[in-house]
Amino acid sequence: MDSMEVPDITLNAMPIGVFDSGLGGLTVARAIARALPNESIYYVGDTKRCPYGIRTMDEVRSFTAQAGRWLEAHAVKIMVIACNTATASALSTVQTMLDVPVIGVIAPGARAAIHSTRSRRVGVLATELTVGSGAYAKAIHALDAGVQVFGCPASSFVEIVERELATGAHVHETWLEHADVFDTPEIRAEVARVVEPLSREEIDTVVLGCTHFPLLAGPIRAALGDRVRVVSSAEETTLELTEILRRRGQLAMDGAVPEHRFATTSDNLAEFAAAGSFIFGQPLKSIEHISLDELDSLTIRAR
Ligand code: DGL
């Protein structure tokens, strides 16, 4: 903590709000929980309206703003938009709306790519909406205008992950690293087909610009080969989050007992719990349902 900061015990104990269109953001929540074991987390997954990546930007902006309002009403100290699509569409809108700080995953993902690349040729695998928004190219060029960025829309990867999660076949694998699980010959073939345009661009780094995609890291590595480094924003976002809370004097106290709560628009809490526990890497003990009516009542009220 900076010397002038006096910790506010109440504020420090407040949870970190984490939002995603569904389950993918749990890859980020997992990294946060590992790096910051004293912190409480309040996770919202808009599973019922997932996928966001094939929606319009206006829709995603409105849904993300609703989630921001919901998290603020549930007293979070900071909001992490753990969804690239929502970050690309709504980060500045939600930052303007809320009193608490809001961070996204694209600037951290861009930073991770910049730190990794030597050839300065970087691929971005993301949903149609994220690639189409140009948000990654902008974020990468803000750090290094000389890097060449090759976007590759891969919304079908979200469907693969959601489909595989729905089968439940992975649940006994909870403690394994994700990359080993969704790695079948069929998935490898589909992934190879989608990333094929990137294989021709002589990239040395690919950023997983969708929080679902770390679950397909194995097949993505297999398709792109050993010379391409696969980076994701989860760890880098956690570093940024940690630094913001540290400088604001808002980290949870040592020895604080964290509470991890999960809220979803899914009607099937058992399915969310099973798939979510696998991605989060530990059982989701506290899950609640949020109705779309409740979220719709929190539509954007711009300042
Ligand atoms: N998890 C979202 C992301 O990071 C994508 C999933 C979706 O399309 O809703 O972009």
Side-chain angles (χ1 to χ4, degrees), residues 20-25 46 49-55 82-87 105 126-128 130 155 158 162 208-213:
D20 179 48
S21 60
L23 290 157
D46 191 7
R49 296 187 292 200
C50 184
Y52 279 10
I54 50 172
R55 290 181 179 273
C83 174
N84 293 266
T85 311
T87 301
V105 282
T127 63
E128 319 279 338
T130 302
S155 291
V158 178
E162 294 287 325
L208 303 183
C210 173
T211 51
H212 278 65
F213 294 1

Side-chain angles (χ1 to χ4, degrees), residues 15-18 76-80 100-103 241 244-245 250:
I16 295 164
V18 181
V76 298
K77 61 185 171 188
I78 188 166
M79 175 180 179
V80 180
V100 294
V102 182
I103 62 169
L241 169 69
I244 292 171
L245 293 178
Q250 292 178 349

